[in-house]
Amino acid sequence: MSRLHRATSVPAILLIVVVLASCGRPAAEPAAEDVPASAEPAEPAFTYTGANGPDAWGDLSPEYTACADGSAQSPIDLVDADDADLADIVFDYRAGDVELVDTGHTIQVNQPAGSSIQVEGDRYDLLQFHFHEPSEHTIDGEQFAGELHLVHRDEAGGLAVVAVLLREGASSAVLAPVFDALPAELDATAQVEGFDPSRVLPEQRTTYRYDGSLTTPPCTEGVSWFVLDTPIEVSAAQLAAFSGIIEANNRPLQARGDRDIAHDTSRG
Ligand SMILES: [Zn+2]
């Protein structure tokens, strides 16, 4: 059965969970349990194909209008970037026990408190990461096999997403416990103990940086994007484990408009 059919047949309360837990959304949003049963109707489920696909996201809810009307949306093709000697992102990631959730749109890996990044003087806490397959961002037109989004939030609620591109190659040892435990039913969860997100990062940590949005509804803008320019490798079997559960979940490229892209060359 396709995800579309599953998503349209689940009870309304589950749709709330899907919306709140969807890609790019912070993990600490109110849980569905906090929403009274008599609350407003659930937001419609978005999909990646069909009638509720990306072209229709902006019409699915008044909350989603940025998906259609926004001027700084993600993802984009990373090309014609301005080379700049930028301060490194300081990663302070700690190993901990993580929870995998099948949101219907991706597999999200919720992180315990304690991991953060510092960039340009701001500290952002790591909330969760999740997968897209194939990649959402492209580099000079090149699409990759997948993309991992590490979602962070600062004290003021500002979001910063660090994207790690995935290339098909050797099996990823650090991600193996995650790919081996992917929950295959909507809202199903799984636990992985002692996962170290720092080991997901490539050795070379130069980035493309630009201002964009969440890549799923509500497509909120004001998101600081840091796309690492060096992919990591995952195996064909690992990619297949994900695509066997979640159908292609990449939002199409969005208009860049007049936005600048900076390419950090400090170690390039
Ligand atoms: Zn994402």
Side-chain angles (χ1 to χ4, degrees):
M1 190 188 298
S2 79
R3 307 299 299 202
L4 174 61
H5 292 136
R6 283 177 52 187
T8 51
S9 62
V10 296
I13 195 72
L14 293 183
L15 296 180
I16 295 173
V17 174
V18 168
V19 169
L20 291 178
S22 63
C23 151
R25 252 348 241 282
E29 292 285 344
E33 291 76 19
D34 297 333
V35 181
S38 59
E40 297 168 25
E43 308 267 353
F46 69 91
T47 57
Y48 285 92
T49 58
N52 287 359
D55 288 346
W57 287 356
D59 300 323
L60 294 178
S61 162
E63 308 282 317
Y64 294 177
T65 54
C67 301
D69 301 340
S71 58
Q73 291 288 294
S74 296
I76 59 173
D77 184 33
L78 301 168
V79 66
D80 295 330
D82 299 316
D83 288 346
D85 188 359
L86 303 170
D88 290 342
I89 302 172
V90 179
F91 290 92
D92 184 10
Y93 284 176
R94 314 284 174 90
D97 299 342
V98 298
E99 180 187 60
L100 284 56
V101 183
D102 182 338
T103 72
H105 298 113
T106 189
I107 304 294
Q108 181 169 307
V109 183
N110 293 324
Q111 303 294 304
S115 289
S116 64
I117 57 171
Q118 287 212 27
V119 59
E120 291 158 10
D122 290 331
R123 178 195 145 132
Y124 296 83
D125 292 319
L126 176 63
L127 304 177
Q128 49 103 341
F129 71 82
H130 59 266
F131 299 92
H132 297 270
E133 184 179 355
S135 76
E136 298 203 296
H137 289 93
T138 56
I139 296 180
D140 197 9
E142 181 184 1
Q143 188 174 41
F144 293 80
E147 184 169 335
L148 190 155
H149 288 161
L150 296 138
V151 180
H152 308 74
R153 186 173 56 195
D154 70 9
E155 270 190 351
L159 295 177
V161 182
V162 173
V164 180
L165 296 162
L166 307 179
R167 171 174 280 156
E168 184 178 322
S171 177
S172 166
V174 62
L175 287 172
V178 172
F179 283 119
D180 289 346
L182 296 176
E185 297 294 335
L186 184 64
D187 291 329
T189 62
Q191 320 296 321
V192 172
E193 295 181 356
F195 182 83
D196 184 354
S198 72
R199 294 182 55 221
V200 170
L201 303 169
E203 216 165 286
Q204 173 79 19
R205 295 178 184 175
T206 44
T207 55
Y208 291 96
R209 306 183 186 190
Y210 78 99
D211 295 326
S213 73
L214 302 180
T215 67
T216 55
C219 306
T220 311
E221 298 188 343
V223 176
S224 298
W225 278 93
F226 303 88
V227 181
L228 288 154
D229 59 12
T230 304
I232 64 166
E233 291 190 355
V234 296
S235 70
Q238 289 178 322
L239 290 165
F242 182 84
S243 61
I245 297 169
I246 303 290
E247 294 177 358
N249 64 342
N250 62 308
R251 186 189 193 192
L253 292 171
Q254 302 296 301
R256 174 176 174 176
D258 59 2
R259 281 179 287 176
D260 292 329
I261 302 172
H263 187 203
D264 174 17
T265 57
S266 62
R267 283 182 280 175

